[in-house]
Amino acid sequence: MTTCFLNGNYLDIKDAKVSVLDRGFIFGDSVYEVLTSQDGGIFGLTDHLSRLEKNLSEVMIPRPMSRDGWREVLAKLISAHEEADLSFYIQVSRGAAPRSHDFPQDVKPTVFVMCQPYVMDHEFHQVTCVTLEDNRWGRCDIKTTSLLPNLLLKNAAIEKGAHEAILVRSGYVTEGASSNIFIVKDGQVFTPSANDRTILPGVTRKLICDIVQSVGIECTEREVRRDELMCADEIWLTSSTSDIVAVNILDQKLVGVDFDYPLGRRIHKAFKDYKADNLLGF
Ligand code: PDD
């Protein structure tokens, strides 16, 4: 049985039901988080909960529980599953109410948390990408479940035989359809800045920046032009479920000069070590 949490109850996911009037279902009026556990310990919980709280406040959904409350839910789900490594999905919607564009008053948010086995992979993977025009909305910093634009872009990339779409808006790189991006050029590391609302400020992105700095290399957040992407020595994608992967083919061309991507490999190893040392046990 796969146990999930729904509005205060722990139940088999097959029995978890939400109203068809739930605004998450009707409008995508909800925010979410994805995080992982390894050997029964959660990684990056404070960062994920901070982002969740920020997103809830951005979309004016009241916080449904305290940080201790979230921690307790995740701990209970960990103990309900045999697998040591899990990925968690947290969703908070504004709640169920008669369909209306106005925000309803006095509605309780719907809170859902599920987990699934997560295969912890220690390889440094290389993936194929294509560039696509970033046609999403102007608040990509909010981790909303309204992901249709991201899904269309991801699937357009898949149709072209790629793993991920690298998005470009008005000539500047933003992020992947479900990942953040870094480029390496002449030993320097750059990632598109997060202060213009065009990217989701990833928890992994922040940690990778810190790890790059900790090995004595500057990691600069700034605007990254499409032409810089196309002549990068290395390109990395980061996310909570895939950590850090290298892009080896972009728009059908090989990326870089050293196809072993040595800096990415080094940061991947450092990140894995950091993760193993920073798990929150219960
Ligand atoms: N997505 N940008 C987008 C658009 C994303 O969807 C994600 C992650 C990231 C990376 O954020 P983080 O490092 O905090 O996971 C960046 C997740 C994993 C998902 O939707 O499943």
Side-chain angles (χ1 to χ4, degrees), residues 21 23 26-27 97-102:
L21 289 179
R23 292 177 63 95
I26 298 278
F27 290 119
R99 184 180 182 278
S100 164
H101 284 64
D102 316 14

Side-chain angles (χ1 to χ4, degrees), residues 32 34 51 143 150 175 177-180 200 202-204 239-240:
Y32 78 105
V34 174
R51 186 171 62 187
K143 201 163 171 64
N150 300 57
E175 61 181 337
S178 62
S179 54
N180 290 121
L200 180 82
V203 168
T204 323
S239 78
S240 295

Side-chain angles (χ1 to χ4, degrees), residues 211-228:
I211 287 170
V212 168
Q213 315 254 37
S214 76
V215 301
I217 297 169
E218 210 169 315
C219 181
T220 311
E221 287 190 40
R222 64 155 171 83
E223 290 187 326
V224 175
R225 294 188 316 274
R226 186 180 190 280
D227 60 280
E228 294 179 281

